[in-house]
Amino acid sequence: MREITIFSGSAHVELAREICHHLEVPLSPTTIRRFGNDCLHVQLNANCRESDVFLIQPLVPPVQDHLMELLLMLDAARGASAARTTAVIPYYAYARSDKKDASRISIAGRLVADLLATAGANRVLVMTLHASQVHGFFSVPTDHLNALNVLAQHFRNRDLSNTVVVSPDLGNAKAASHFARLLKVPVAAGSKRRVDDNKVIIDTIVGDVEGRDVIVIDDEIANGGTIIEILDRLRERNVRRISVACTHGVFSGKAIERLGSQEDIDEIVATNTVPIPEEKYLPNMTVISMAPLLSETIRRIHNGESVSSLFADA
């Protein structure tokens, strides 16, 4: 393969530029527009014949438009005789649809994975899937990254002697345990029941958090309901310093308003896998760039080097 060629959809051009800066390659231009009948038109405006092509597009709102852009870019790269095409999806929104938990519904996480392969993806690169089993939905080689080392590095510069990592639910407890091992602190988890998409109930917390500093970690924060609920339970146990961390800061609906009203949150830490507009920034919010990790992963994929070694416990 001759060289790395990188294109971006319209979902997160800023992240794509950062990745290209770290790789010291140009971001190749893309034209995306709509026809009069509302159909999308996508054109890759750089030669990619026999190139190792990477298409960067998180599935952020409007999710359907950005998904369709990615599918059209994949098909365009295949038609342009790319040697290999990798879909780089920092946020795979449909990972939350990972099981059939009601009658006559689609397992959309698997369906979208099939669409990506059909459209021309030879490889997929994703970050922190909502459920690890979604990795198995992809029929092409898939690299599943996580942000735990990056987030842990952020917290290592503080006194952690009285700190506990808290997972809002048992489903995220494995990732929280890994995060706690990186920080060399204990872990606790909430027992959560989801009533509907906007409401959850956390009955109790498993683990000792009484009078401790806590870092609440989740894979994503959407409307913020789960975080608010776990904070209510933690306050009942007289916790002290409260920090909240996540990989995907979606912050939909009234999430920012809800989080902003929690005056005892010391810090909210997210990554830039999802673009966070300025109007959603809170005074206590820190956004960590994932461009160094994503660019190094792209470099290793291109050179045929190990990706898993990036995630050895540090």
Side-chain angles (χ1 to χ4, degrees):
M1 285 177 283
R2 186 181 60 196
E3 59 187 12
I4 294 176
T5 305
I6 297 180
F7 297 93
S8 174
S10 64
H12 203 344
V13 179
E14 182 181 352
L15 176 59
R17 289 196 186 106
E18 282 189 58
I19 291 170
C20 289
H21 173 75
H22 284 280
L23 287 169
E24 298 181 341
V25 300
L27 177 60
S28 298
T30 307
T31 298
I32 300 171
R33 60 184 176 86
R34 289 183 183 273
F35 291 113
N37 64 354
D38 202 42
C39 290
L40 281 170
H41 166 83
V42 173
Q43 183 177 14
L44 306 179
N45 296 316
N47 177 36
C48 55
R49 184 177 295 273
E50 297 306 316
S51 288
D52 197 4
V53 173
F54 293 84
L55 306 175
I56 300 172
Q57 182 86 322
L59 298 184
V60 299
V63 175
Q64 278 53 252
D65 284 359
H66 290 145
L67 172 59
M68 194 65 199
E69 282 181 19
L70 179 56
L71 295 174
L72 292 172
M73 286 193 294
L74 286 166
D75 188 56
R78 178 172 56 186
S81 300
R84 180 176 64 186
T85 305
T86 301
V88 180
I89 311 174
Y91 176 57
Y92 186 67
Y94 278 104
R96 296 183 69 164
S97 178
D98 62 342
K99 57 186 174 296
K100 192 167 182 178
D101 53 5
S103 302
R104 298 171 297 282
I105 65 168
S106 170
I107 302 176
R110 186 192 62 198
L111 173 62
V112 173
D114 289 343
L115 288 172
L116 293 168
T118 300
N122 303 119
R123 191 176 196 95
V124 174
L125 172 57
V126 292
M127 173 77 70
T128 311
L129 294 169
H130 184 65
S132 57
Q133 68 265 22
V134 175
H135 190 159
F137 290 171
F138 294 92
S139 59
V140 296
T142 301
D143 294 293
H144 181 199
L145 311 185
N146 68 69
L148 296 179
N149 276 325
V150 176
L151 291 171
Q153 189 60 40
H154 173 81
F155 286 101
R156 284 195 182 109
N157 62 1
R158 64 170 62 173
D159 180 9
L160 299 174
S161 59
N162 192 42
T163 299
V164 178
V165 168
V166 179
S167 170
D169 58 70
L170 297 173
N172 192 55
K174 184 175 181 180
S177 296
H178 183 191
F179 185 64
R181 286 198 303 274
L182 292 173
L183 295 178
K184 298 179 172 61
V185 300
V187 65
S191 176
K192 184 177 82 171
R193 291 186 292 115
R194 180 167 291 280
V195 179
D196 56 42
D197 188 50
N198 295 308
K199 183 174 176 57
V200 299
I201 296 173
I202 296 178
D203 302 305
T204 188
I205 294 176
V206 181
D208 181 18
V209 297
E210 191 76 31
R212 308 290 288 272
D213 299 333
V214 295
I215 302 173
V216 180
I217 186 164
D218 209 351
D219 61 309
E220 71 175 83
I221 299 176
N223 59 44
T226 297
I227 295 297
I228 300 303
E229 182 73 10
I230 191 69
L231 292 183
D232 287 343
R233 300 290 79 75
L234 289 170
R235 292 185 188 107
E236 293 170 0
R237 287 157 176 78
N238 303 309
V239 298
R240 301 195 310 177
R241 187 179 187 182
I242 297 174
S243 301
V244 174
C246 69
T247 300
H248 309 301
V250 180
F251 303 130
S252 59
K254 295 184 178 181
I256 291 299
E257 181 183 333
R258 286 172 162 178
L259 292 171
S261 66
Q262 310 298 307
E263 297 180 357
D264 55 351
I265 296 180
D266 182 68
E267 186 179 22
I268 300 168
V269 183
T271 76
N272 66 341
T273 55
V274 173
I276 303 175
E278 282 189 23
E279 61 269 19
K280 289 189 175 183
Y281 271 74
L282 293 170
N284 60 345
M285 184 178 289
T286 300
V287 179
I288 301 173
S289 176
M290 298 308 298
L293 175 60
L294 288 166
S295 60
E296 176 61 15
T297 304
I298 288 172
R299 187 193 67 78
R300 291 186 181 208
I301 290 172
H302 177 69
N303 292 334
E305 300 173 7
S306 170
V307 171
S308 61
S309 60
L310 285 170
F311 302 100
D313 285 5

